[in-house]
Amino acid sequence: ALSDKSRRKTDEAGMNNSSDEKTDETMSPSGSAKRLEEVLDNLNLETLSAPLLRTLLSQTMETLKVARRRVDEQESKIEILTRLSTTDPATSLLNMRGIHLTLRKLLARAKRDETGGALLVIDLDGFKLINKTFGHAAGNDVLVGVARYLMDAVREGDEIARLGGDEFAIIMPGVTPFEADKRAMAINAGLNQLIIPWQERTIHVRGSVGGACFGPEDDMKSVYRRADEDKYRRKSKRKALQTTGGKHDA
């Protein structure tokens, strides 16, 4: 057996050699973990003294702390990227990808729990003419104004999205067909009374709201198709865009 003195010298020599071998790679979490694993694999536990064990334990704890921080940082970055990939930058609503993910989850839940809900789709009438007449800045204000109106008009738990251009969608989980029709009519009425001020003029918003209920037997494609068909039936009944007395109907 080694004497305490010779064991300490062996420990110190091993520690000094380890210190001299540090590189940029071993300072990273993966490098530190690899280096620590190599050291532990080569250890003869019978020859270790208490000081070296304490040093190894300290190094292990530091490596774990660094690794945990890096994991937290990566999770935060992933969360931010996910949010950006599902958010419409103009309105801060969900975008098409975000609403598709939400609807897919709700349809899966509907199959599992025998539940349902409704999808509303909204199309602004004459939006292209707003951009042409007043410019894209005015068009952006209209989109933001519509988004704010929809956020005030829905229940907690409903999801709103801008699908792109002048199209929006609302998912209403758990509503009955009667409730869905009633709320769609209320949203349609409020939307067509919405006025957006623009440079001492007013832009009167006009739009069409269609919808479809879904249940355990539905898929996303069929739900969107039925909602779009309902929207276009309603849209075909609306009058063409009109401009009177400095007021612009969209």
Side-chain angles (χ1 to χ4, degrees):
L2 293 172
S3 66
D4 290 342
K5 183 175 181 181
S6 61
R7 187 180 293 117
R8 283 196 297 272
K9 289 182 178 178
T10 301
D11 294 346
E12 291 170 358
M15 291 169 60
N16 289 336
N17 289 337
S18 297
S19 300
D20 294 339
E21 293 170 359
K22 285 185 179 179
T23 64
D24 290 340
E25 180 181 354
T26 59
M27 291 302 290
S28 68
S30 58
S32 297
K34 183 178 179 181
R35 175 173 169 272
L36 185 59
E37 183 179 357
E38 291 173 351
V39 171
L40 292 174
D41 286 342
N42 294 324
L43 284 179
N44 183 349
L45 296 178
E46 294 181 355
T47 65
L48 290 178
S49 65
L52 182 56
L53 285 172
R54 285 194 296 270
T55 300
L56 289 173
L57 181 58
S58 176
Q59 290 177 345
T60 302
M61 295 301 294
E62 286 302 315
T63 299
L64 291 174
K65 289 178 182 178
V66 172
R68 183 64 221 175
R69 285 198 299 269
R70 293 294 176 88
V71 169
D72 289 343
E73 290 171 0
Q74 290 300 318
E75 288 179 345
S76 178
K77 290 178 181 178
I78 291 171
E79 183 180 350
I80 291 171
L81 290 173
T82 300
R83 187 163 58 248
L84 289 174
S85 71
T86 58
T87 302
D88 173 58
T91 61
S92 297
L93 300 176
L94 291 175
N95 60 15
M96 183 177 288
R97 180 176 184 272
I99 203 74
H100 283 182
L101 290 173
T102 300
L103 182 56
R104 191 174 289 117
K105 290 178 182 178
L106 287 174
L107 289 171
R109 185 189 302 169
K111 293 182 187 298
R112 183 180 66 249
D113 301 337
E114 297 289 321
T115 56
L119 170 70
L120 299 186
V121 286
I122 301 161
D123 195 11
L124 303 184
D125 297 336
F127 183 71
K128 290 182 180 179
L129 190 56
I130 291 177
N131 283 330
K132 183 178 179 180
T133 304
F134 297 100
H136 288 282
N140 288 339
D141 270 17
V142 169
L143 294 175
V144 172
V146 170
R148 288 174 179 167
Y149 162 71
L150 294 177
M151 285 188 284
D152 289 338
V154 300
R155 311 169 304 172
E156 183 177 356
D158 291 347
E159 296 285 358
I160 315 168
R162 178 186 173 217
L163 302 179
D166 59 358
E167 294 183 298
F168 295 81
I170 302 173
I171 293 179
M172 301 184 296
V175 296
T176 66
F178 175 77
E179 292 171 332
D181 284 342
K182 185 177 179 181
R183 296 186 60 208
M185 291 176 62
I187 289 172
N188 182 75
L191 178 67
N192 284 280
Q193 294 175 5
L194 186 63
I195 297 174
I196 307 297
W198 176 254
Q199 296 183 353
E200 299 182 356
R201 301 180 71 183
T202 55
I203 300 175
H204 288 233
V205 176
R206 295 290 181 265
S208 301
V209 180
C213 290
F214 58 83
E217 304 303 320
D218 289 306
D219 59 64
M220 188 161 65
K221 185 176 180 180
S222 68
V223 175
Y224 266 106
R225 186 188 69 250
R226 288 188 287 111
D228 277 335
E229 288 172 352
D230 186 51
K231 177 189 69 178
Y232 286 119
R233 278 196 300 269
R234 298 173 186 274
K235 190 176 183 70
S236 65
K237 298 177 181 179
R238 297 200 56 81
K239 295 180 180 180
L241 180 143
Q242 296 178 349
T243 306
T244 56
K247 293 184 178 180
H248 190 86
D249 288 348

